[in-house]
Amino acid sequence: MRKLPLTISDFSGGIWSKSSPTSVPANSLYDAQNVIFDDGAPISRRWGHSPWTTSNIASRPIRTIFPWDRASGTRVVLVSVRNGATNETWSINDGGEPSSAVITGATGFSTTYEQEFAASLDNVYVSNGVEATQRYDGSTMAASGVDGTTPGAPTVAVAALATGIPNGTYQYSVSFVYGIRGESLAGTQSGNVTTSAGNQQVDLTGIPTALTGNPTRRIYRRDTAATTNPRVFVGELLDNTTTILSDSNANLDNSRRARTTSATPPTCRYVAWHSGWNRMFYAWQSGDRSRWWYSELRTPDIVLTANTEYLSRDDGQEITGLVPFRGGLVMFKTRGTYILEGTGPGDWNMRTIDRRVGCSHARSIQPTPRGVIFAGQEGIWLFDGVGLKYLSEGIENDWKKILQAWSSEGRYTWTNQFDWIQSAQSSNVTPGVGLIAGTFGE
């Protein structure tokens, strides 16, 4: 009698290795090779891959790979490579035969720590714990922040007008607004200008323009008699060419004040963008390895002095990575797992998951539909949003061997739905054997 095939479509239980093969649940497998598990769907054959690189990159050991999906729909792969005694970043453009080139401004970086990447609002931010946090806009890499160039002062003169600015003595200043990057510090204040009866307008000339970036410019007015001396918003010039403006505003919105304190992102080792909160997070600074920062809303380049906290400052452990997960932000220490929860700075709460189990290296952190997988000193762990689950049962000895190999060679993986894989080597490994593999479907 001919045997009929049995079709099984539910493998939601995944791999079951906790008991003998005769006790495996109906929705699980005792062993499987070359397959992908997908929640709510049958297993499928693992996507294939095709090695590709260029002769230029092949001569340099690969340190980091970061796939960047731009707002235009274009995929770019950023690759950090070791070039002699420094690191540099290359851009590989997808589509057809890949083309690559070293990014302008992305050479000569320290090799003390590897570069970490985070994409935000069609820019990529790069940190390494040594140099200033960098920003790549698709063309050039440069130090992040908007306070590098302070605008000069405009020229001011009183003008005849019956009704306008109240009698008093004022000063004016200018700031540059670089779109999603944010607004710079208000620049140098002008000399004093005094209004009086019949002369209640101030004409500004020589308003400074920016050398690069084509920013909007905002004008601020300061009443020298005011107790707190705020610089209050007057108006803005939407181009980078106009150099004159007349002010006759009798009443200004005192809540719209210029920023007068520097707010450049910190030099840090880890960086992560949280799309739900629309803020960039920075963590780990030399000499302050339990500290983290957050940017202003939708402006990754602006981190106010007050926008910082410590994560269990006195526990003797350092932050080892951060990753957004299910509306929160998971933070790891060498021994310790935490999650920041809430809707914003006003009600954030840091929940302790475990003070004994932490992450050994940021490169091991992998968010998945079932939770965040990471490597700790004892083995592989899963944080499912509630607690930690140990995944290394039965492979402890193998895990120790892997840790020993990683400590000397530094091999890591990065995986998402496109299944990009990286194999990074240290400088004492023969260059040219790094692999960049991109999936090409079933």
Side-chain angles (χ1 to χ4, degrees):
M1 178 174 157
R2 186 169 64 91
K3 295 181 180 180
L4 297 177
L6 173 64
T7 301
I8 301 175
S9 58
D10 180 12
F11 292 96
S12 57
I15 299 295
W16 183 275
S17 59
K18 298 180 180 180
S19 59
S20 67
T22 58
S23 303
V24 176
N27 67 341
S28 303
L29 291 168
Y30 187 75
D31 191 15
Q33 296 182 8
N34 202 36
V35 299
I36 294 175
F37 290 92
D38 191 3
D39 287 349
I43 58 175
S44 58
R45 181 165 59 87
R46 183 181 179 186
W47 293 345
H49 68 270
S50 176
W52 55 280
T53 182
T54 71
S55 58
N56 291 328
I57 290 181
S59 65
R60 297 168 171 85
I62 298 169
R63 308 302 303 177
T64 309
I65 293 175
F66 182 76
W68 178 29
D69 294 312
R70 304 203 62 182
S72 62
T74 303
R75 158 156 288 202
V76 177
V77 180
L78 303 182
V79 184
S80 175
V81 301
R82 182 70 57 85
N83 186 4
T86 64
N87 280 345
E88 61 187 29
T89 307
W90 287 63
S91 173
I92 302 179
N93 299 312
D94 201 358
E97 182 66 23
S99 60
S100 64
V102 65
I103 294 172
T104 302
T107 60
F109 290 111
S110 170
T111 60
T112 302
Y113 304 108
E114 301 307 335
Q115 292 180 311
E116 305 292 338
F117 296 79
S120 160
L121 305 173
D122 215 28
N123 286 274
V124 173
Y125 291 76
V126 187
S127 62
N128 68 358
V130 179
E131 283 100 4
T133 300
Q134 304 289 304
R135 183 191 61 257
Y136 176 52
D137 60 6
S139 175
T140 302
M141 189 175 290
S144 61
V146 291
D147 295 337
T149 302
T150 302
T155 300
V156 294
V158 69
L161 188 68
T163 303
I165 302 173
N167 294 347
T169 301
Y170 302 92
Q171 296 174 331
Y172 288 79
S173 56
V174 180
S175 71
F176 295 152
V177 184
Y178 295 94
I180 58 177
R181 290 172 50 197
E183 182 178 1
S184 74
L185 287 168
T188 306
Q189 296 190 108
S190 71
N192 291 344
V193 60
T194 301
T195 57
S196 59
N199 297 287
Q200 294 186 324
Q201 175 174 300
V202 174
D203 291 337
L204 288 77
T205 58
I207 297 173
T209 58
L211 297 177
T212 60
N214 195 33
T216 294
R217 290 163 295 153
R218 289 180 180 166
I219 314 300
Y220 292 91
R221 185 174 82 201
R222 172 179 175 264
D223 183 347
T224 60
T227 303
T228 57
N229 296 325
R231 305 189 196 189
V232 184
F233 177 75
V234 172
E236 62 184 5
L237 302 173
L238 301 180
D239 57 46
N240 192 36
T241 55
T242 302
T243 58
I244 60 174
L245 180 140
S246 293
D247 174 26
S248 59
N249 292 286
N251 299 300
L252 299 179
D253 182 355
N254 198 48
S255 66
R256 296 193 64 181
R257 301 184 179 186
R259 181 168 58 85
T260 56
T261 302
S262 180
T264 300
T267 297
C268 65
R269 188 172 176 184
Y270 305 111
V271 60
W273 170 253
H274 195 292
S275 59
W277 293 331
N278 282 308
R279 296 178 188 270
M280 186 69 78
F281 288 82
Y282 305 85
W284 192 103
Q285 191 173 71
S286 180
D288 241 345
R289 300 186 178 193
S290 291
R291 194 175 183 182
W292 57 276
W293 297 257
Y294 58 93
S295 74
E296 287 294 274
L297 190 67
R298 291 186 291 275
T299 50
D301 286 69
I302 296 180
V303 181
L304 301 181
T305 304
N307 294 6
T308 183
E309 299 284 349
Y310 284 93
L311 180 61
S312 297
R313 184 176 187 177
D314 300 322
D315 65 0
Q317 309 295 319
E318 64 181 74
I319 294 175
T320 54
L322 25 132
V323 61
F325 179 64
R326 294 182 183 174
L329 182 74
V330 180
M331 296 191 189
F332 295 99
K333 301 193 81 173
T334 311
R335 287 196 177 275
T337 302
Y338 308 81
I339 184 169
L340 184 66
E341 299 174 313
T343 59
D347 74 340
W348 275 336
N349 174 62
M350 186 68 74
R351 178 162 61 97
T352 300
I353 306 304
D354 197 301
R355 291 186 180 274
R356 299 164 300 172
V357 177
C359 176
S360 296
H361 201 293
R363 299 296 178 84
S364 70
I365 301 171
Q366 302 297 331
T368 75
R370 292 175 181 258
V372 177
I373 297 175
F374 63 95
Q377 295 183 11
E378 301 81 3
I380 307 297
W381 295 83
L382 171 73
F383 171 57
D384 61 4
V386 179
L388 300 182
K389 295 182 179 181
Y390 186 58
L391 304 182
S392 294
E393 183 178 347
I395 64 167
E396 283 84 356
N397 291 333
D398 292 332
W399 178 244
K400 291 179 181 178
K401 294 178 181 178
I402 292 173
L403 287 182
Q404 292 173 355
W406 280 7
S407 65
S408 62
E409 294 188 11
R411 297 183 181 272
Y412 317 104
T413 62
W414 189 99
T415 306
N416 69 354
Q417 61 177 326
F418 296 96
D419 205 23
W420 290 92
I421 302 171
Q422 81 175 43
S423 174
Q425 304 115 20
S426 61
S427 57
N428 61 355
V429 178
T430 302
V433 296
L435 169 69
I436 301 177
T439 65
F440 51 81
E442 299 181 5

